[in-house]
């Protein structure tokens, strides 16, 4: 990259740090921005600055928010008896897009991962316990990712919450719609059989 001017090298280096952006994509994006008008580049830069200045964590559920509370926590029509626990805010928005859950959420801020130095103290588990003190919540849905870290987090939370005598459920796992059994891996098929229900 020594053949590029230092500002190009710097931007490529910054873009590579983003998830899912490799060196070639970073280079393409950099040259795209170079061809863009100054106004377009400034608008992008201002959007990033505004994001960092105005967005914060919701004081109730730790979702992303522009104010003290996110729109979901501020909505009085949401079902306060069901609480869906997710790892990150983007998981919350994935569930919201389905329009099938009308309860409230709690964002953990990650999953347990000893290899990455994330233990229970790095999650918002203590805040979750405080939310459950009120007695309004009757069911906690553990919607962590179906990977090793997500499963460990769900197991940790279920043990933590068990003494509270609240219904604890886990989102179902299994085969996606439109897939074929012959292409499914053994773990997915096994979880699909475990999670079967009456029809």
């Amino acid at each position: 990259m020594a053949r590029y001017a230092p500002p190009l090298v710097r931007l490529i280096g910054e873009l590579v740090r983003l998830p899912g952006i490799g060196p070639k994509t970073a280079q393409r994006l950099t040259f795209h921005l170079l061809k863009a008008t100054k106004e377009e580049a400034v608008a992008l830069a201002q959007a990033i600055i505004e994001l960092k200045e105005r967005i914060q964590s919701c004081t109730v559920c730790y979702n992303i928010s522009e104010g003290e509370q996110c729109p979901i926590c501020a909505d009085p029509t949401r079902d306060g008896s069901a609480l869906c626990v997710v790892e990150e805010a983007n998981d919350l928005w994935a569930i919201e897009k389905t329009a099938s859950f009308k309860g409230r959420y709690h964002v953990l801020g990650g999953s347990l991962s000893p290899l990455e130095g994330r233990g229970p103290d790095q999650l918002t588990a203590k805040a979750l316990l405080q939310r459950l003190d009120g007695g309004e919540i009757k069911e906690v849905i553990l919607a962590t990712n179906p990977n090793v870290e997500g499963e460990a987090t769900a197991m940790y939370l279920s043990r933590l919450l068990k003494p509270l005598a609240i219904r604890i459920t886990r989102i179902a796992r299994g085969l996606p719609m439109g897939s074929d059994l012959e292409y499914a891996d053994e773990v997915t098929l096994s979880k699909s059989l475990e999670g079967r229900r009456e029809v």
Side-chain angles (χ1 to χ4, degrees), residues 38-147:
K38 185 174 182 178
E39 291 78 21
E40 292 170 328
V42 168
L44 175 62
Q46 286 175 336
I48 294 170
I49 291 167
E50 185 178 0
L51 174 80
K52 296 306 291 177
E53 288 177 348
R54 294 179 58 185
I55 299 298
Q56 61 187 20
S57 288
C58 173
T59 57
V60 178
C61 74
Y62 297 91
N63 183 18
I64 52 175
S65 177
E66 195 171 351
E68 289 277 315
Q69 287 188 4
C70 71
I72 295 170
C73 287
D75 183 354
T77 65
R78 300 295 292 221
D79 178 8
S81 68
L83 186 71
C84 184
V85 179
V86 295
E87 291 178 24
E88 301 286 354
N90 53 342
D91 300 325
L92 180 156
W93 292 109
I95 293 171
E96 275 298 288
K97 280 194 281 186
T98 69
S100 59
F101 179 69
K102 302 299 181 201
R104 299 193 181 276
Y105 293 92
H106 187 85
V107 180
L108 292 169
S111 59
L112 294 176
S113 179
L115 292 176
E116 294 178 17
R118 259 192 331 271
D121 291 339
Q122 280 72 45
L123 305 180
T124 61
K126 287 179 185 171
L128 172 62
L129 286 173
Q130 290 172 351
R131 287 184 73 185
L132 298 174
D133 271 348
E136 181 187 7
I137 298 166
K138 306 297 182 214
E139 179 184 9
V140 174
I141 304 161
L142 301 176
T144 55
N145 289 316
N147 55 28

Side-chain angles (χ1 to χ4, degrees), residues 1 15 18 32 35 58 75 85 121 131 145 150-151 168 173 188 193-194:
M1 271 206 264
L15 291 172
L18 297 173
H32 172 78
K35 290 178 186 175
C58 173
D75 183 354
V85 179
D121 291 339
R131 287 184 73 185
N145 289 316
E151 291 295 322
I168 303 165
R173 295 152 297 184
T188 301
L193 288 168
E194 286 174 22

